[in-house]
């Protein structure tokens, strides 16, 4: 065999092998790129609404995007939304469409629910209506809040002993304004304690001289009464101010 021919053959084989490997690598890279880019639109949609690990259908992603737009339209900035709001769930069932957001700030956390209704235009087009635009009317970016200890102290001073408190983000007692509140209901003493106190008051009244018997009977009638009124308190977590109102007790 001619040495020059052998060298040419070896060079051709090596060149072929190199080109084959290069082609295979390119094909593999394209396949990998396709596999990574296939769900890119979906991941982009999740990133926009802060869905995290949630897997959303196209309709669910659209509902979440509309809900986010309604929150921004209420007064929340996009940067604040991305930092403090996270999509918790999307419900898309006939007659039940809801988006639930998780809102957190300075150690406080609560959920904000957006119920979706709709109306139909004369041309037959469906237009979704998001209730969250009213829930967060005139909202603003809350940055500074009082501590949880300060809020609990204000709540006790406002309504006394109370059941466990919860955080609420929504329209306040002032129409058209959204606030972040710590709220609770004053604690009602058990009926038997109120009954025993009423009996003790009645016994003391009978032992006292020159008491009006009608007054004694009225106090005895308190034995089965409803007891002291209950109150609900709302502590504004920005200002520390408490708003107090009557509550209805259901035994």
């Amino acid at each position: 065999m001619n040495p020059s021919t052998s060298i040419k053959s070896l060079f051709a084989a090596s060149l072929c092998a190199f080109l084959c490997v290069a082609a295979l690598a390119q094909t593999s890279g394209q396949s990998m790129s396709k596999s990574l880019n296939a769900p890119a639109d979906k991941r982009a949609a999740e990133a926009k609404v802060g869905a995290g690990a949630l897997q959303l259908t196209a309709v669910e992603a659209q509902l979440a995007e509309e809900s986010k737009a309604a929150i921004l339209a209420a007064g929340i900035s996009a940067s604040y939304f991305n930092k403090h709001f996270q999509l918790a769930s999307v419900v898309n069932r006939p007659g039940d469409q809801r988006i639930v957001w998780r809102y957190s700030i300075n150690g406080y956390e609560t959920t904000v629910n957006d119920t979706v209704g709709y109306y139909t235009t004369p041309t037959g087009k469906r237009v979704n209506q998001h209730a969250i635009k009213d829930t967060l009317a005139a909202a603003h970016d809350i940055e500074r809040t009082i501590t949880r200890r300060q809020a609990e102290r204000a709540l006790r001073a406002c309504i006394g002993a109370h059941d466990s408190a919860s955080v609420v983000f929504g329209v306040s007692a002032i129409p058209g304004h959204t606030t972040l509140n710590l709220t609770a209901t004053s604690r009602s003493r058990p009926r038997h304690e109120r009954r025993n106190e009423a009996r003790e008051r009645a016994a003391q009244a009978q032992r006292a001289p020159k008491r009006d018997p009608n007054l004694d009977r009225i106090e005895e009638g308190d034995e089965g009464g409803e007891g002291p009124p209950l109150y609900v308190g709302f502590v504004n977590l920005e200002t520390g101010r408490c708003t107090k109102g009557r509550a209805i007790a259901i035994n």
Side-chain angles (χ1 to χ4, degrees):
M1 178 182 295
N2 190 326
S4 61
T5 303
S6 177
I7 293 174
K8 290 180 181 180
S9 299
L10 180 61
F11 175 77
S14 299
L15 179 61
C16 179
F18 174 78
L19 292 176
C20 290
V21 170
L24 180 60
Q26 183 178 5
T27 302
S28 176
Q30 291 175 348
S31 299
M32 182 176 295
S33 176
K34 289 180 179 180
S35 64
L36 290 175
N37 291 332
D41 294 340
K42 187 172 186 178
R43 288 203 307 272
E46 292 174 354
K48 288 180 182 178
V49 299
L54 292 182
Q55 298 297 317
L56 304 178
T57 65
V59 174
E60 292 169 346
Q62 179 63 32
L63 289 174
E65 279 293 337
E66 292 176 357
S67 183
K68 175 183 175 180
I71 294 174
L72 299 185
I76 300 296
S77 68
S79 59
Y80 187 88
F81 177 91
N82 294 334
K83 183 177 180 181
H84 298 284
F85 283 80
Q86 183 178 12
L87 185 63
S89 64
V90 179
V91 178
N92 181 32
R93 292 193 293 262
D96 183 16
Q97 288 185 313
R98 288 177 287 114
I99 301 94
V100 181
W101 298 97
R102 185 176 295 109
Y103 171 65
S104 59
I105 177 70
N106 297 342
Y108 296 106
E109 183 173 303
T110 186
T111 56
V112 183
N113 295 297
D114 180 17
T115 303
V116 183
Y118 72 94
Y119 67 91
T120 305
T121 66
T123 59
K125 180 182 178 181
R126 170 180 168 137
V127 179
N128 291 330
Q129 291 184 305
H130 292 260
I132 203 166
K133 69 178 182 180
D134 297 320
T135 303
L136 301 183
H140 63 283
D141 295 353
I142 296 174
E143 297 289 356
R144 302 182 64 179
T145 60
I146 62 176
T147 65
R148 183 72 182 228
R149 179 175 296 181
Q150 290 173 322
E152 288 283 1
R153 188 184 303 123
L155 203 51
R156 285 195 301 272
C158 185
I159 62 174
H162 54 269
D163 296 326
S164 59
S166 58
V167 180
V168 177
F169 183 53
V171 175
S172 68
I174 303 175
H177 289 270
T178 296
T179 56
L180 181 66
N181 298 284
L182 186 69
T183 180
T185 303
S186 61
R187 187 176 300 152
S188 176
R189 290 174 299 170
R191 183 184 293 272
H192 71 274
E193 290 185 6
R194 301 198 305 267
R195 185 182 298 115
N196 291 339
E197 288 184 1
R199 288 174 178 171
E200 180 61 26
R201 289 197 304 269
Q204 291 176 356
Q206 290 195 10
R207 290 193 298 268
K210 298 180 182 180
R211 294 282 294 182
D212 186 346
N214 291 327
L215 180 59
D216 293 343
R217 284 195 294 271
I218 291 174
E219 290 185 350
E220 289 174 359
D222 187 62
E223 180 178 323
E226 296 180 356
L230 296 180
Y231 294 95
V232 58
F234 294 87
V235 175
N236 187 312
L237 294 176
E238 288 186 277
T239 66
R241 182 179 178 180
C242 180
T243 302
K244 177 180 178 181
R246 288 286 296 268
I248 299 176
I250 301 177
N251 293 329

